[in-house]
């Protein structure tokens, strides 16, 4: 299930509709990181401890180890998140499985073409969510500056917004 641009903020902050597996992909690594962090915080809420988050990098591990971990899980935490970085196109049969509601699997990938097996699987499966993370456009940047001002009780003039938009660029890590 593809989450549309106008739905991303609401989905990240509420996780409704809840999906056990979420794929974040795109050219903007900073935005992928930010959105995955927001989704993980939303899911775990106040139950976060060091055992609640497990990170697997497919450059270091193969999908068999991750699949084994997902089937067993942890007995020590109420809610658990498995974050998978650099998923590969090889064995992806485990993706469409329905996992318990106390487990969230977040996959973070670089740019995926429309022919990508992982991307196709997530777009077609209603138990999964997929979020594209591309460079921020001017409207998104203006909204981000506005939201920052509201959140921090700062009045930002139009001239300051224009200056920030010019200086910040479109890389979310800088923003």
């Amino acid at each position: 299930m593809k989450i549309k641009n106008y739905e991303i903020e609401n989905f990240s902050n509420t996780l409704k509709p809840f999906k056990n597996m979420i794929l974040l992909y795109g050219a903007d690594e900073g935005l992928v990181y930010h959105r995955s962090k927001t989704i993980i915080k939303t899911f775990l809420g106040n139950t976060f401890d060091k055992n609640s988050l497990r990170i697997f990098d497919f450059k270091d591990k193969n999908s068999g180890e991750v699949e084994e971990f997902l089937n067993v899980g942890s007995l020590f935490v109420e809610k658990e998140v498995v974050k998978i970085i650099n998923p590969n196109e090889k064995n992806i049969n485990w993706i469409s499985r329905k996992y318990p509601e106390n487990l969230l699997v977040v996959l973070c990938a670089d740019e995926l073409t429309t022919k990508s097996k992982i991307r196709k699987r997530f777009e077609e499966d209603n138990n999964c969510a997929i979020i594209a993370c591309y460079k921020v456009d001017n409207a998104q940047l203006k909204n981000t500056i506005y939201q920052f001002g509201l959140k921090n009780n700062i009045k930002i003039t139009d001239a300051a917004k224009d200056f920030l938009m010019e200086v910040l660029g479109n890389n979310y890590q800088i923003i």
Side-chain angles (χ1 to χ4, degrees), residues 3-155:
I3 306 296
K4 295 174 181 58
N5 274 343
Y6 64 89
E7 301 171 320
I8 292 173
E9 193 73 28
N10 186 47
F11 177 79
S12 297
N13 294 325
T14 62
L15 292 183
K16 291 184 180 153
F18 179 73
K19 305 293 179 189
N20 280 101
M21 299 191 88
I22 301 169
L23 171 64
L24 298 132
Y25 75 95
D28 194 339
E29 292 177 18
L31 189 54
V32 169
Y33 174 78
H34 171 74
R35 286 185 175 159
S36 68
K37 186 176 168 186
T38 303
I39 288 169
I40 290 168
K41 277 181 154 179
T42 300
F43 178 74
L44 291 176
N46 297 330
T47 62
F48 182 82
D49 71 24
K50 64 180 181 177
N51 297 317
S52 297
L53 176 63
R54 295 286 306 256
I55 299 175
F56 291 95
D57 189 340
F58 271 24
K59 287 183 180 174
D60 301 331
K61 301 189 180 303
N62 62 37
S63 61
E65 291 179 58
V66 175
E67 196 173 351
E68 184 179 315
F69 180 80
L70 291 174
N71 290 330
V72 175
S74 175
L75 302 172
F76 304 108
V77 292
E78 184 180 324
K79 288 184 173 181
E80 187 170 28
V81 176
V82 174
K83 184 174 180 178
I84 300 170
I85 303 168
N86 302 314
N88 60 35
E89 299 282 332
K90 293 179 184 165
N91 180 11
I92 59 170
N93 295 332
W94 54 274
I95 288 178
S96 62
R97 293 195 187 130
K98 182 81 170 137
Y99 294 102
E101 289 202 14
N102 67 338
L103 175 66
L104 177 67
V105 182
V106 178
L107 287 85
C108 298
D110 292 333
E111 187 69 32
L112 297 175
T113 65
T114 53
K115 295 180 181 180
S116 164
K117 292 178 187 177
I118 294 174
R119 182 174 166 179
K120 280 183 182 179
R121 177 72 60 91
F122 272 83
E123 287 176 342
E124 294 168 358
D125 195 332
N126 286 332
N127 293 322
C128 301
I130 183 169
I131 300 173
C133 300
Y134 293 108
K135 298 287 182 192
V136 177
D137 64 8
N138 283 341
Q140 289 173 310
L141 179 57
K142 196 173 209 173
N143 187 39
T144 302
I145 294 168
Y146 175 75
Q147 293 298 328
F148 178 83
L150 280 178
K151 184 178 178 181
N152 294 293
N153 203 19
I154 300 171
K155 184 172 182 348

